[in-house]
Amino acid sequence: MGPPGAGKGTQAKILAEKYSLIHLSTGDILRGEISKKTDTGQEAQSYMDAGNLVPDNVLLSMMESTLIELQNSGIILDGFPRTIPQAKGLNDIFEKLNSKINHVLNIHVEESKLIKRLIERAQNSGRKDDTEEVIIKRQKVYTELTAPLINFYKNEIIQIDGDGTIDQVTQRILEYI
Ligand code: ADP
């Protein structure tokens, strides 16, 4: 977990490679659905372009089918759950699959630094939601809808300082693991 720009995707990719886990990024999956012009993609697009969250029911049904397909594999979830209803829905899915969350990592970075990072990334990301206005909107949505998950997972959450180089942040995570 972590706000937009904290480095979730970057670190998830490194960990997935190191520990042979499957990296599931809901942002990447949704962008794939948009480029394939599927029903899910068409439904998601306007929310994503505006920096809003895609509705919980869309995410939950998409993730339920993905997690059923990947049963018994080790997975790093990146960008999901992102709301309390999604976290509750994920618990239900895992209960059905007789599976569970082993670790929750939260990468935190000060908001002004995040905005600066995202504006820099915007120059070559080609993402429609990487304009300054939408970046600020995404931080606001994070604070309102996603930050409450820190309390939801308070018993298992591990806080990782996301300020520093990619390598430094990886080392902090590896130290914990
Ligand atoms: P970032 O975390 O940098 O904003 P992501 O690629 O993780 O980037 O997400 C991009 C967009 O995809 C989000 O702003 C949102 O619209 C949508 N999205 C991704 N994951 C979810 C989710 N779990 N619930 C709702 N919307 C999501």
Side-chain angles (χ1 to χ4, degrees):
M1 290 172 38
K8 301 182 296 284
T10 304
Q11 298 298 332
K13 211 176 285 165
I14 294 170
L15 294 181
E17 212 158 283
K18 184 167 172 66
Y19 294 110
S20 302
L21 300 167
I22 295 167
H23 171 204
L24 280 186
S25 152
T26 42
D28 287 348
I29 297 173
L30 289 167
R31 282 184 287 276
E33 298 286 324
I34 291 173
S35 67
K36 286 184 276 175
K37 297 192 163 42
T38 62
D39 290 347
T40 304
Q42 294 193 344
E43 188 167 4
Q45 182 153 29
S46 58
Y47 294 99
M48 290 176 73
D49 289 351
N52 286 313
L53 294 186
V54 176
D56 290 334
N57 63 331
V58 176
L59 262 292
L60 280 167
S61 63
M62 183 178 97
M63 292 309 283
E64 176 156 18
S65 48
T66 307
L67 292 170
I68 288 172
E69 249 172 66
L70 296 175
Q71 269 194 75
N72 305 322
S73 312
I75 294 170
I76 298 188
L77 290 171
D78 161 16
F80 178 85
R82 219 152 164 136
T83 63
I84 300 274
Q86 289 181 20
K88 290 183 173 160
L90 180 61
N91 281 348
D92 295 340
I93 296 170
F94 276 159
E95 207 162 293
K96 275 192 235 164
L97 295 177
N98 203 14
S99 191
K100 68 177 173 65
I101 293 177
N102 299 109
H103 306 279
V104 180
L105 301 178
N106 186 50
I107 305 182
H108 57 89
V109 178
E110 205 183 289
E111 188 170 319
S112 59
K113 286 199 180 134
L114 292 171
I115 293 176
K116 194 167 159 266
R117 275 190 192 177
L118 287 171
I119 290 173
E120 277 167 16
R121 183 176 84 182
Q123 288 164 0
N124 39 30
S125 77
R127 274 174 52 169
K128 267 200 187 158
D129 60 351
D130 268 351
T131 63
E132 186 164 352
E133 191 192 342
V134 179
I135 287 168
I136 291 168
K137 168 84 185 176
R138 277 154 56 209
Q139 296 296 335
K140 198 165 161 259
V141 168
Y142 168 82
T143 305
E144 270 171 31
L145 297 171
T146 308
L149 288 178
I150 294 171
N151 189 48
F152 186 88
Y153 287 120
K154 64 175 182 295
N155 295 331
E156 56 253 86
I157 206 161
I158 300 298
Q159 298 289 355
I160 304 288
D161 176 4
D163 194 8
T165 65
I166 292 176
D167 251 13
Q168 283 168 332
V169 179
T170 305
Q171 286 312 316
R172 288 176 199 142
I173 297 174
L174 295 182
E175 239 166 68
Y176 157 70
I177 291 176

